Amino acid sequence: MGYNSEMAHKPVTQATSEDMPKVPHTIIRNGTYSFNARYPQKLIDAGKVDKEFNRKSLSTKDSREARKLAARNYTLHLSEV
């Protein structure tokens, strides 16, 4: 059996993205982290929340601080839900 280069695994299958932060439940706008979590569709449909996402600025550009603040905000988000 010979080596078939067409069947070989390609090392890069997805493009890398600078837009995707490494801190869960956050987005980055102008270098500043913001908390970002989606409300359940049932709450939106019932009129309990007026928007799809719970977004607020974490007012930091430091990823370590953003990780702590996002975790705290996510806990509060879950208690709201």
Side-chain angles (χ1 to χ4, degrees):
M1 285 195 139
Y3 177 76
N4 185 348
S5 65
E6 290 180 21
M7 297 297 288
H9 176 72
K10 294 179 178 39
V12 178
T13 57
Q14 295 179 347
T16 58
S17 173
E18 294 296 321
D19 297 332
M20 190 62 153
K22 294 182 180 178
V23 179
H25 306 293
T26 63
I27 55 176
I28 300 174
R29 290 187 181 158
N30 299 324
T32 303
Y33 286 88
S34 293
F35 177 73
N36 185 48
R38 185 187 305 263
Y39 286 111
Q41 190 62 42
K42 288 181 180 182
L43 289 179
I44 298 168
D45 293 344
K48 301 292 183 182
V49 292
D50 57 345
K51 54 190 176 183
E52 185 177 0
F53 289 96
N54 180 3
R55 288 188 181 136
K56 53 185 96 169
S57 175
L58 297 177
S59 301
T60 185
K61 294 184 178 194
D62 180 34
S63 64
R64 282 186 272 173
E65 186 178 353
R67 185 178 302 279
K68 292 175 191 174
L69 293 171
R72 193 174 300 144
N73 276 286
Y74 189 63
T75 301
L76 292 172
H77 172 77
L78 289 177
S79 68
E80 276 184 357
V81 171

